[in-house]
Amino acid sequence: MRTYLLLLISLFSVSSTLTAQTPKHQTTSKQRTTPTYLSTEEATVSDIYKKVLPAVVTIFTTSNNFTEKGAIKSQGQGSGVLISHDCYILTAAHVVDGASEILVKTQDGKMRKATILFSEKTADIALLQLKVLDPSLAHAKLGNSDNLVVGQNVYAIGSPYGLENSFSSGIISAFRGFNMLYDGTVNVEFIQTDAAINSGNSGGPLFNSQGEVVGIASSILTVSGGFQGIGMVVAINTAKDLLAFEDRPWIGIESVFLTQEEYAKLFNLNIPTGGVLIQNVAVNSPAAKAGLRGGYISANVAGREILFGGDIILQIGNQVTCHADCLENSKGAHVDENKINIQYLREGKVFTAILDVTDTRRNFLVKE
């Protein structure tokens, strides 16, 4: 089922090439008066847009990629929404995963630096925070996605193909669970909608008619690569459950597990139990603070795109890495520990480090 989900989700942060081809004109700042001839429904929808727009942001990312021609920087773009006076921003995990720099453009036109507080790829949810807090910024109210029904009107705002503050409307078409759980506890639910979602909408909010955030745009099911009326949005209750989950094991890495045989063939290394090969390390994450490094040499191995050159995690606490989920399962053995010793391999030498997960084990929805 997880394989089906990965096939279904077309992750679509806007690339630098795509952005370069995007028309440069954005939404004008002209003040517009609502015409008196609008129907009640039109006026209501227009009011929803005006109400929620101040909380919507555009996210720009920079990532370091390595090719045969050397290191290059790639640019990405997505959307997000401010959800608190603490300048927390909800977006999609794939918008910011692997980013070396994150800039957020707020509705006042200012570009602000942000950092990742939490990311969960399975549910495609990430929480950012502006590095310099500005409590005067507007933020949106989170709704209750359990109260939604099929056929209900919903509204999406984002920056499809770089066109900021684009507004689209549609209905809820279905609810998709894909039989997935996060940490065996939190249900991962997606809302299917026909509200237009395209490249650059990723991470943008889906609103109900009360102007409450009921989901975060994640993906599209597409054959052509464009909008075809089937968009997937992470239900806001899934996001809230994840952000309130105080014992999260997030350390800020993307990784793949390779077996003993794979390490022997690829690296001529004897790693008896296999190990976790780090792909990317999130900026300001526990892994980054511990000095762990991601990969930089891209290769295709048995149909998988893998980055080589990163650290290989061999052991977490007293647990030897045994499979790809060991990092998450290890928290069961370290439930009372905020600082966990790890052992990793770098350039043929074994090193140790301490992962301090203190700041990740808290309820982000509760103001401290």
Side-chain angles (χ1 to χ4, degrees):
M1 188 62 67
R2 185 165 188 165
T3 301
Y4 172 73
L5 177 66
L6 294 175
L7 290 173
L8 171 69
I9 294 179
S10 301
L11 304 181
F12 45 72
S13 294
V14 180
S15 67
S16 56
T17 303
L18 180 60
T19 303
Q21 296 172 349
T22 300
K24 293 183 179 180
H25 44 272
Q26 301 292 347
T27 303
T28 62
S29 59
K30 182 190 296 183
Q31 295 295 321
R32 296 179 180 271
T33 303
T34 302
T36 57
Y37 58 78
L38 293 186
S39 67
T40 301
E41 181 179 356
E42 288 175 315
T44 298
V45 173
S46 178
D47 288 342
I48 292 172
Y49 179 73
K50 293 176 183 177
K51 176 182 177 180
V52 302
L53 182 63
V56 179
V57 301
T58 302
I59 298 172
F60 300 90
T61 62
T62 300
S63 301
N64 295 317
N65 296 321
F66 292 81
T67 68
E68 295 178 353
K69 297 181 180 179
I72 61 171
K73 290 184 180 294
S74 63
Q75 308 297 319
Q77 184 176 321
S79 305
V81 59
L82 284 153
I83 62 168
S84 75
H85 284 302
D86 297 313
C87 297
Y88 288 161
I89 298 168
L90 267 181
T91 187
H94 74 265
V95 169
V96 295
D97 281 349
S100 58
E101 182 181 45
I102 303 171
L103 293 176
V104 172
K105 184 178 181 182
T106 48
Q107 289 298 323
D108 56 10
K110 293 182 179 180
M111 299 291 285
R112 305 166 189 260
K113 292 184 178 181
T115 189
I116 303 176
L117 297 180
F118 171 73
S119 178
E120 171 48 40
K121 198 167 186 176
T122 302
D124 203 18
I125 282 292
L127 183 70
L128 314 181
Q129 186 176 34
L130 297 182
K131 288 189 174 182
V132 178
L133 304 188
D134 185 349
S136 68
L137 291 173
H139 65 274
K141 181 180 179 180
L142 302 182
N144 182 356
S145 52
D146 287 345
N147 290 338
L148 302 177
V149 295
V150 172
Q152 179 177 341
N153 290 337
V154 285
Y155 312 92
I157 303 181
S159 302
Y161 300 106
L163 298 173
E164 298 173 8
N165 303 332
S166 293
F167 184 67
S168 63
S169 64
I171 63 169
I172 293 175
S173 305
F175 299 94
R176 308 292 181 186
F178 302 109
N179 297 323
M180 291 171 54
L181 291 175
Y182 169 79
D183 195 58
T185 305
V186 177
N187 285 300
V188 177
E189 183 178 60
F190 289 83
I191 299 168
Q192 181 183 326
T193 180
D194 66 350
I197 294 176
N198 286 289
S199 295
N201 273 110
S202 288
L206 188 76
F207 294 98
N208 62 14
S209 58
Q210 299 298 306
E212 299 169 329
V213 181
V214 294
I216 298 295
S218 173
S219 60
I220 53 175
L221 183 61
T222 177
V223 176
S224 66
F227 168 68
Q228 291 182 281
I230 304 177
M232 293 295 170
V233 177
V234 183
I236 199 61
N237 282 15
T238 291
K240 290 195 293 185
D241 287 345
L242 288 173
L243 297 181
F245 193 60
E246 296 185 11
D247 198 22
R248 64 181 51 79
W250 185 73
I251 64 171
I253 69 168
E254 289 182 69
S255 62
V256 295
F257 177 79
L258 297 180
T259 66
Q260 177 185 12
E261 293 76 15
E262 288 172 319
Y263 277 113
K265 292 178 180 178
L266 296 171
F267 301 101
N268 198 27
L269 290 174
N270 180 23
I271 301 179
T273 60
V276 174
L277 177 62
I278 298 178
Q279 301 292 281
N280 293 299
V281 178
V283 176
N284 202 42
S285 65
K289 292 176 180 177
L292 296 181
R293 297 178 186 173
Y296 58 90
I297 303 171
S298 180
N300 187 296
V301 179
R304 286 193 299 177
E305 290 294 329
I306 296 178
L307 289 175
F308 293 110
D311 295 333
I312 301 170
I313 298 179
L314 304 173
Q315 187 169 325
I316 307 116
N318 296 322
Q319 180 180 356
V320 175
T321 52
C322 52
H323 50 74
D325 294 328
C326 275
L327 285 174
E328 295 196 7
N329 292 342
S330 67
K331 84 173 183 64
H334 304 281
V335 67
D336 296 322
E337 299 179 31
N338 284 326
K339 296 182 179 180
I340 304 171
N341 293 312
I342 66 166
Q343 188 179 93
Y344 64 94
L345 185 68
R346 176 185 294 172
E347 297 178 357
K349 297 180 181 179
V350 176
F351 297 88
T352 59
I354 296 176
L355 294 176
D356 188 345
V357 297
T358 305
D359 290 338
T360 71
R361 286 181 172 168
R362 61 189 174 96
N363 187 339
F364 288 109
L365 297 182
V366 175
K367 184 175 179 60
E368 297 183 346

